[in-house]
Amino acid sequence: MRVLGVDPGLTRLGIAVVDGGLGRAVRAVAVDVIRTPADDELATRLLKVADGVEAWLDRHRPDVVAIERVFSQHNVRTAMGTAQAAGVVALAAARRDLPVMFHTPSEVKAAVTGSGRADKAQVTTMVTRLLRLTEAPKPADAADALALAICHLWRAPVRNRMAEAEARAAELAKAHRARLAEAAKSGGRRPAGGAAATPNSRAAGSRAVGS
Amino acid sequence: MRVLGVDPGLTRLGIAVVDGGLGRAVRAVAVDVIRTPADDELATRLLKVADGVEAWLDRHRPDVVAIERVFSQHNVRTAMGTAQAAGVVALAAARRDLPVMFHTPSEVKAAVTGSGRADKAQVTTMVTRLLRLTEAPKPADAADALALAICHLWRAPVRNRMAEAEARAAELAKAHRARLAEAAKSGGRRPAGGAAATPNSRAAGSRAVGS
């Protein structure tokens, strides 16, 4: 699977493509930073971000786009610009029917360093190590984009297994309710299925599939 | 001049087209609300907003796009979504080389009601009156989009006059500095131009043109 990772921003937007296959092996395909001048109009800056990202989508044809989710920042104006850059990236992906996933900074840090509170230097060190790069990616936005793509490759299977487990549990619960209804109709006898027909059946199903 | 006014949002985005000519007369051309389902993915919602706005740009061919500037809201997630919807609208305008202007909510309220702290009902009342509508536009987002377009039509000339005045003042100041330099070269005599060559010349120029 090929992931385009984006650390959004108007002044500097980190962008990276990482391939991941079986197991934990990841390979960096490309990494760079898209910059827009601070004295340009907002609309012009967003257009430059959009054009830059579309060029990457054309060149690298990723299967999925992973974007860092930004909740808040010290500076409200900066946070808005960052959110808008992220929105423009998500729009470009949606126009090509590519799935878009958001990961929080702490999810990204935890994925590559083991700690959600790791600092930038630690993230850069681990990204360099995991991707077996000969030198550390710079600036931090570029390293973050790589970390984000790795995070997506490693978290997506976990998320998918959880979603599958939830769907399976929901099915089991539905079948169980149907059996109960059937039993009620046929005279209030204890439904077939014994132990499965307990209030814990959903959780039990979830555990069985999710483990 | 034809203005497309947008009160950005993901759940409801107010959108309106208003024509303004000589004097203060304004005419509503169209007004509506673009909605996107809250349970859709963010990228899908942004795509729906973008497609909706592009359809309006195609149909109404405005000369300029005016967007409400949102600094902050109670809910950070809502604020981010609103900023992203605004960004997508700005991007659509920039793709067509249309100028994009942002106005704050208090500028909009002040333009149509005379007070930057007017409530929604007051804005709706004044929009209905100024545009001579037979009934009040609903919901509030639609009325806000109309108010925003009116605000732009009425503020743009003021802004342009101020920009012209500043440019003129800068020119005067430059000419003044050139005269001073010339005078210094020719032996430190008092420069020609008398009263104009005072520290107040820039402000005086600004007042003369801006009034």
Side-chain angles (χ1 to χ4, degrees):
Chain A
M1 184 162 73
R2 173 163 288 192
V3 179
L4 181 85
V6 174
D7 179 22
L10 279 179
T11 304
R12 285 185 308 278
L13 176 143
I15 189 162
V17 175
V18 176
D19 283 347
L22 287 172
R24 309 235 93 193
V26 283
R27 188 177 70 88
V29 176
V31 61
D32 204 356
V33 169
I34 297 174
R35 296 167 200 269
T36 73
D39 51 359
D40 271 11
E41 300 271 350
L42 173 64
T44 308
R45 301 181 80 181
L46 292 173
L47 182 57
K48 284 178 181 168
V49 166
D51 286 348
V53 169
E54 301 218 351
W56 275 68
L57 293 173
D58 285 340
R59 199 179 314 137
H60 297 290
R61 311 235 157 238
D63 302 303
V64 58
V65 174
I67 306 175
E68 190 162 292
R69 184 191 297 281
V70 186
F71 282 112
S72 68
Q73 278 171 326
H74 303 301
N75 183 321
V76 175
R77 183 181 282 263
T78 306
M80 293 292 167
T82 302
Q84 287 172 329
V88 158
V89 174
L91 176 66
R95 282 218 187 284
R96 288 157 198 253
D97 276 328
L98 291 177
V100 180
M101 294 291 285
F102 290 86
H103 301 281
T104 64
S106 57
E107 283 170 349
V108 174
K109 289 172 186 172
V112 299
T113 74
S115 162
R117 284 169 306 187
D119 63 15
K120 285 194 178 293
Q122 206 178 337
V123 169
T124 298
T125 301
M126 283 309 296
V127 161
T128 311
R129 190 171 298 163
L130 293 166
L131 293 167
R132 294 171 305 277
L133 303 176
T134 48
E135 55 185 309
K138 275 178 201 165
D141 315 75
D144 280 349
L146 288 165
L148 198 81
I150 297 172
C151 169
H152 184 80
L153 284 164
W154 288 354
R155 282 180 62 92
V158 177
R159 284 202 191 188
N160 293 347
R161 277 203 303 277
M162 280 177 64
E164 277 168 25
E166 278 170 18
R168 182 77 169 276
E171 248 172 62
L172 288 172
K174 195 176 156 192
H176 169 57
R177 282 194 302 273
R179 276 200 306 276
L180 282 180
E182 189 63 34
K185 258 195 271 177
S186 62
R189 282 167 300 167
R190 194 166 183 275
T198 67
N200 285 325
S201 62
R202 191 177 173 282
S206 180
R207 264 204 305 280
V209 182
S211 62
Chain B
M1 184 162 71
R2 173 163 287 190
V3 180
L4 180 86
V6 174
D7 179 22
L10 279 179
T11 304
R12 283 185 310 277
L13 177 143
I15 189 163
V17 174
V18 176
D19 283 348
L22 288 171
R24 310 234 92 192
V26 284
R27 188 177 70 87
V29 177
V31 60
D32 204 357
V33 169
I34 297 173
R35 297 167 199 269
T36 73
D39 51 359
D40 270 11
E41 300 272 350
L42 173 63
T44 309
R45 301 181 81 182
L46 291 172
L47 182 57
K48 284 178 181 168
V49 165
D51 287 348
V53 169
E54 301 219 350
W56 274 67
L57 293 173
D58 285 339
R59 199 180 313 137
H60 297 290
R61 310 236 158 237
D63 302 302
V64 57
V65 174
I67 307 176
E68 190 163 293
R69 184 191 296 281
V70 186
F71 283 113
S72 69
Q73 279 173 327
H74 303 300
N75 183 322
V76 174
R77 183 182 282 263
T78 306
M80 293 291 165
T82 301
Q84 287 171 328
V88 158
V89 174
L91 175 67
R95 280 218 187 287
R96 288 158 198 251
D97 277 326
L98 290 176
V100 179
M101 294 289 287
F102 290 86
H103 301 281
T104 64
S106 56
E107 283 170 349
V108 174
K109 288 173 187 172
V112 300
T113 74
S115 162
R117 284 169 307 187
D119 64 13
K120 284 194 179 294
Q122 208 178 332
V123 169
T124 298
T125 301
M126 283 308 297
V127 162
T128 310
R129 189 171 299 163
L130 293 166
L131 293 168
R132 295 171 304 278
L133 303 175
T134 49
E135 56 183 309
K138 278 179 201 165
D141 314 76
D144 281 348
L146 288 166
L148 198 80
I150 297 172
C151 169
H152 184 79
L153 284 164
W154 288 353
R155 281 180 62 91
V158 176
R159 284 201 190 191
N160 293 346
R161 276 204 303 276
M162 281 177 64
E164 276 167 26
E166 278 171 15
R168 183 77 168 275
E171 249 173 62
L172 288 172
K174 196 177 156 190
H176 170 57
R177 282 194 302 272
R179 275 199 307 275
L180 282 182
E182 191 62 34
K185 257 195 271 177
S186 63
R189 280 168 299 171
R190 193 165 184 275
T198 67
N200 286 324
S201 62
R202 192 176 173 281
S206 179
R207 263 205 305 281
V209 182
S211 62

